[in-house]
Amino acid sequence: MLLPPDDEYFMRQALREAQAAYGDGEVPIGCVIVKDGKILGRGRNHMETLQDPTAHAEILALGAASGALKNWRLEGCTLYVTLEPCPMCAGAILNGRIAKVVYGAQDKRLGALGSTYNILSENPINRKIDIVPGILGGECLDLLKSFFREIRIRGPKKKLAASDHPDELSAAEQVPGRNLSELSGFEEVDSEMDGDIDGEFEEDS
């Protein structure tokens, strides 16, 4: 099946944000918000950098897009994110009146767009939000797997160099234009590193 070129194009922009988060030692999740073919806001996971539990890629991108429009009502906008949004981000997407959400990899623990919860499709105010899953999902998942392999080798405290990971976009792919506990549900990274999160984002056995 051929992908709509705009969805793949903008998901690659979200992937670039995720790769920048990787270089910062954050779980590599990235997001862009688009309206009429223009990127209004970008965000990447900054929970560790900012020491802020709300600093998810989607939240930061929503704030940037609202600032660009000088309006919190993001009607007609599409949100692209490399990992299925969590319940907090899904609520913010609903409140921001985003028209469409496109995501890459599923989050089988905290995914709020169908994997675990259905916050947008079952919202009590009957707001219609289109959901497109799985765009570049393999690449988004591979970046997460790479990050957790690095964490296992280097430890969760060490900042990773952006050039160290193998999944960086090549020059030909460049287009103009959640920490571990966020994904696993655990606060203590070290004690849980060999637990459920490994199985979710590591190679299938």
Side-chain angles (χ1 to χ4, degrees), residues 74-96:
L74 300 176
E75 293 166 333
C77 291
T78 298
L79 182 146
Y80 294 84
V81 63
T82 57
L83 184 70
E84 182 180 2
C86 72
M88 176 185 72
C89 293
I93 289 165
L94 181 63
N95 287 339

Side-chain angles (χ1 to χ4, degrees), residues 53-141:
T54 70
H56 291 202
E58 300 97 316
I59 299 296
L60 298 178
L62 286 164
S66 296
L69 290 178
K70 296 181 169 43
N71 192 338
W72 62 265
R73 297 172 181 85
L74 300 176
E75 293 166 333
C77 291
T78 298
L79 182 146
Y80 294 84
V81 63
T82 57
L83 184 70
E84 182 180 2
C86 72
M88 176 185 72
C89 293
I93 289 165
L94 181 63
N95 287 339
R97 303 187 182 182
I98 291 286
K100 177 181 173 182
V101 177
V102 181
Y103 71 85
Q106 285 185 313
D107 184 347
K108 295 178 183 178
R109 275 185 169 273
L110 291 174
L113 274 61
S115 292
T116 304
Y117 311 99
N118 288 291
I119 289 175
L120 297 187
S121 61
E122 298 177 359
N123 72 82
I125 56 178
N126 296 317
R127 184 166 291 154
K128 178 72 166 66
I129 301 174
D130 293 329
I131 299 170
V132 180
I135 301 299
L136 300 181
E139 293 183 42
C140 296
L141 185 59

Side-chain angles (χ1 to χ4, degrees), residues 137-157:
E139 293 183 42
C140 296
L141 185 59
D142 285 346
L143 191 62
L144 287 162
K145 289 177 180 179
S146 177
F147 176 82
F148 288 116
R149 284 195 293 268
E150 289 267 10
I151 287 291
R152 200 174 281 108
I153 294 167
R154 301 185 183 210
K157 305 293 185 185

Side-chain angles (χ1 to χ4, degrees), residues 17-18 20-22 24-31 42-64 81-83 85-86 88-89 92 178-183:
E17 294 298 320
Y22 191 123
D24 291 337
E26 301 272 5
V27 168
I29 302 168
C31 180
R42 298 173 180 265
R44 60 181 183 263
N45 185 28
H46 260 15
M47 287 179 65
E48 294 296 337
T49 302
L50 299 178
Q51 288 297 294
D52 179 353
T54 70
H56 291 202
E58 300 97 316
I59 299 296
L60 298 178
L62 286 164
V81 63
T82 57
L83 184 70
C86 72
M88 176 185 72
C89 293
R178 302 174 187 132
N179 72 23
L180 181 62
S181 61
E182 171 188 343
L183 300 180

